[in-house]
Amino acid sequence: MRFRTVLTRAVAVGAAALLAVTVLTACGGDDTDAADNPYGLLQPGVIRAGTLTDAPPNVFLKDGKFTGFDNELLRAVAAKIDLKVEFVGTDFSALLSQVNSGKFDVGSSSITITEARKKTVDFGNGYDFGYFGLDVPAGSTLTGFDQLAGKRVVVVQGTVQDDYATKQNLDPVRVPDYNSAINQLKAGTADAWIAPAEIGDKSAADSNGKIKVAAKQLSPTPTAFAVAKGNDKLREALNKGLDEVIADGTWSRLQAEYYPGRPIPADFKPGSGSVAAPAPSAAS
């Protein structure tokens, strides 16, 4: 009986020791994970970014590769903080909720900062300005945003252009992506498309004369990368990397490459505003 009691105590002590080792090991693992993945990324060392496939020159696929101003800028920013980027295509209407739910680490899609969107995600510092473009079918007599009342106006669902059309009481036709908007103009089933101006310009140029740009107007707020609510470490790291690519001329080079000839508003300061963006070199 005494032997059985001693044996039972020995087993209990051994189990307790094993549990203590397990707990210590687990705690050590958490510390290691935090050190290896300080930004809470889905995959340590890699930003998984949600983006679009059909919105040149901002974000698009070329020869199977995600590119465009926003995506190339994100690659450059990520490199400054020793991270790589994996892009995944999605619809804009779902992008912000997918970022906040953890499907993506970052949203990269010329996302205009709005108060409504701040309820879903957090934004880094602004990296670009934008214009609204008014694209219409060839032959249309529309020449301005003030002529859209009673017209069939198409917008991509969830965009700032959607917000604008709704606030103007235009009762817009909402579509899931830019190709759908372009197809409506080509088919004559829409009178106008309110688009990001650069995307509208490119779409008109590629339409073989079926679409033209009727007007443009400056968007009131900048665009930025989106991260999940509360992920301050990643947001701050992106802000730091953004300032570095502004200072070294990368931002200016990408502006010249993707938006050739587009004037930059005098009062627009990308990033934190604490660094100056040098003019692109002639070789750019």
Side-chain angles (χ1 to χ4, degrees):
M1 191 73 168
R2 179 187 168 112
F3 172 76
R4 191 176 290 176
T5 300
V6 171
L7 180 60
T8 300
R9 288 177 179 170
V11 170
V13 170
L18 178 61
L19 178 60
V21 170
T22 302
V23 170
L24 288 171
T25 302
C27 290
D30 289 343
D31 291 341
T32 302
D33 290 344
D36 291 344
N37 193 14
Y39 308 121
L41 302 174
L42 292 166
Q43 178 183 345
V46 179
I47 293 174
R48 184 176 174 87
T51 188
L52 308 189
T53 62
D54 63 345
N58 303 57
V59 286
F60 61 100
L61 275 174
K62 182 178 181 181
D63 299 327
K65 175 188 175 184
F66 285 96
T67 187
F69 175 81
D70 299 69
N71 289 345
E72 296 303 336
L73 182 67
L74 181 57
R75 281 194 176 98
V77 169
K80 293 293 187 181
I81 53 177
D82 298 321
L83 298 174
K84 296 181 180 179
V85 185
E86 175 192 3
F87 290 102
V88 180
T90 188
D91 289 334
F92 189 86
S93 59
L95 177 56
L96 297 187
S97 61
Q98 289 172 332
V99 169
N100 201 45
S101 69
K103 181 173 182 179
F104 302 123
D105 300 306
V106 171
S108 170
S109 185
S110 198
I111 307 168
T112 301
I113 301 170
T114 68
E115 292 303 315
R117 290 173 179 173
K118 287 180 181 179
K119 297 176 181 178
T120 304
V121 295
D122 287 340
F123 288 100
N125 290 330
Y127 60 75
D128 200 16
F129 58 95
Y131 290 85
F132 290 170
L134 185 64
D135 278 28
V136 298
S140 172
T141 60
L142 292 174
T143 58
F145 289 85
D146 58 345
Q147 301 171 352
L148 297 179
K151 302 297 184 181
R152 185 177 171 85
V153 179
V154 65
V155 294
V156 174
Q157 182 177 359
T159 61
V160 70
Q161 293 81 30
D162 184 353
D163 294 342
Y164 171 83
T166 301
K167 289 177 181 177
Q168 297 297 315
N169 298 314
L170 297 178
D171 191 23
V173 177
R174 297 176 175 87
V175 294
D177 53 47
Y178 293 106
N179 282 333
S180 298
I182 293 166
N183 289 336
Q184 290 225 13
L185 289 185
K186 288 181 177 179
T189 54
D191 297 310
W193 168 33
I194 302 176
E198 296 80 16
I199 296 170
D201 287 349
K202 183 73 163 55
S203 300
D206 292 345
S207 71
N208 295 319
K210 295 180 179 179
I211 299 172
K212 66 179 182 179
V213 179
K216 295 180 185 180
Q217 67 181 38
L218 186 64
S219 176
T221 51
T223 61
F225 298 122
V227 301
K229 295 289 287 184
N231 194 345
D232 294 337
K233 288 186 176 180
L234 179 57
R235 178 180 56 80
E236 291 167 2
L238 292 174
N239 286 342
K240 175 179 177 292
L242 176 59
D243 274 357
E244 291 182 16
V245 300
I246 293 168
D248 73 10
T250 301
W251 183 88
S252 297
R253 176 180 60 77
L254 292 173
Q255 283 280 327
E257 178 180 351
Y258 288 97
Y259 310 129
R262 183 183 73 162
I264 298 173
D267 59 350
F268 177 74
K269 305 297 181 186
S272 67
S274 63
V275 295
S281 64
S284 298

